Amino acid sequence: DGGITQSPKYLFRKEGQNVTLSCEQNLNHDAMYWYRQDPGQGLRLIYYSQIVNDFQKGDIAEGYSVSREKKESFPLTVTSAQKNPTAFYLCASQRTSYGYTFGSGTRLTVV
Amino acid sequence: GNSVTQMEGPVTLSEEAFLTINCTYTATGYPSLFWYVQYPGEGLQLLLKATKADDKGSNKGFEATYRKETTSFHLEKGSVQVSDSAVYFCALSVMEYGNKLVFGAGTILRVKS
């Protein structure tokens, strides 16, 4: 079955540490997105990519970085510059002009 | 610009009650409209969508009609169940905006037995 896989489901980060969240899709979708969700809040766009080897900043890109070397993969790195990284991170992919398919999310906690 | 406004929650209903969650939008261009549902600890799932005026999206007993004249896409269900308890997000996409989804803030629905 086609889908979008995020890993790990839970991730713990120490202060000053970079961590990378994985997002893989086998839907052959061109566009991929990363969102952050805080408790009781809506979704905020971090980065998006509409084609391999190209990506754009969303509304809250500071302290995050991404790469898009393959169509299937769009990893998100949360750097030490992100001062408040504890949140639920959602990855999504999209076929042109259709809605998104979401992964099941990664919950990141700073310890 | 493009934006979505949803009614604030939480919405608390008894089982078998009628549900309405209001959603209105502003858009540059002709948007497609979506409702997504998020169960606790999970990602979002597409519930229904409509791509042109007067279209009705429906799924699992939920319905929403694309009303261009009132720029609305209200979600309705005739008889809710406890299992419908979740967060519901209204969203739009516009080709001129690269088809990126613009989400509302989400509405928490709690259904009591």
Side-chain angles (χ1 to χ4, degrees), chain B residues 29-56:
Chain B
Y30 201 117
S32 295
L33 302 173
F34 305 84
W35 276 102
Y36 282 82
V37 59
Q38 183 181 33
Y39 298 102
E42 298 183 10
L44 279 68
Q45 301 172 27
L46 179 64
L47 183 58
L48 53 84
K49 67 179 181 183
T51 58
K52 60 183 188 295
D54 300 324
D55 267 2
K56 177 184 283 188

Side-chain angles (χ1 to χ4, degrees), chain B residues 11-101:
Chain B
V11 173
T12 303
L13 297 173
S14 297
E15 208 165 19
E16 299 184 3
F18 185 86
L19 168 71
T20 300
I21 300 178
N22 290 339
C23 170
T24 57
Y25 67 89
T26 58
T28 56
Y30 201 117
S32 295
L33 302 173
F34 305 84
W35 276 102
Y36 282 82
V37 59
Q38 183 181 33
Y39 298 102
E42 298 183 10
L44 279 68
Q45 301 172 27
L46 179 64
L47 183 58
L48 53 84
K49 67 179 181 183
T51 58
K52 60 183 188 295
D54 300 324
D55 267 2
K56 177 184 283 188
S58 62
N59 186 25
K60 299 180 182 179
F62 291 91
E63 292 183 340
T65 301
Y66 190 143
R67 300 288 188 200
K68 191 175 180 204
E69 63 277 11
T70 55
T71 63
S72 65
F73 193 55
H74 305 320
L75 183 68
E76 296 182 335
K77 186 176 186 184
S79 175
V80 294
Q81 305 300 312
V82 172
S83 57
D84 294 326
S85 298
V87 183
Y88 292 82
F89 291 91
C90 185
L92 67 82
S93 71
V94 181
M95 191 182 301
E96 292 82 354
Y97 189 52
N99 288 312
K100 294 192 300 294
L101 285 182

Side-chain angles (χ1 to χ4, degrees), chain A residues 1 5 8 68 85:
Chain A
D1 284 343
T5 302
R68 187 86 187 276

Side-chain angles (χ1 to χ4, degrees), chain A residues 9 33 35 37 41-43 45 48 50 88 90 94 96-105 107, chain B residues 32 34 36 38 41-46 49 89 93 95 97-101 103-106 108:
Chain A
K9 191 171 179 65
Y33 303 83
Y35 287 88
Q37 186 177 29
Q41 307 270 327
L43 301 169
L45 181 64
Y48 64 101
Q50 295 186 313
F88 190 49
L90 287 162
Q94 182 189 33
T96 305
S97 80
Y98 282 75
Y100 292 177
T101 300
F102 280 87
S104 56
R107 188 166 301 281
Chain B
S32 295
F34 305 84
Y36 282 82
Q38 183 181 33
E42 298 183 10
L44 279 68
Q45 301 172 27
L46 179 64
K49 67 179 181 183
F89 291 91
S93 71
M95 191 182 301
Y97 189 52
N99 288 312
K100 294 192 300 294
L101 285 182
F103 289 91
I108 297 172

Side-chain angles (χ1 to χ4, degrees), chain A residues 12-73:
Chain A
F12 298 90
R13 192 194 95 165
K14 295 181 180 179
E15 296 281 353
Q17 189 179 45
N18 292 356
V19 291
T20 297
L21 284 59
S22 171
C23 179
E24 302 277 334
Q25 55 102 356
N26 60 2
L27 299 165
N28 200 32
H29 288 175
D30 287 313
M32 296 186 75
Y33 303 83
W34 274 106
Y35 287 88
R36 171 180 171 140
Q37 186 177 29
D38 292 283
Q41 307 270 327
L43 301 169
R44 292 187 289 170
L45 181 64
I46 305 172
Y47 268 99
Y48 64 101
S49 167
Q50 295 186 313
I51 196 168
V52 175
N53 293 322
D54 188 44
F55 49 83
Q56 284 77 42
K57 294 181 179 180
D59 301 318
I60 56 163
E62 185 175 350
Y64 300 96
S65 66
V66 293
S67 63
R68 187 86 187 276
E69 296 176 0
K70 298 185 300 182
K71 189 175 188 178
E72 300 80 15
S73 179

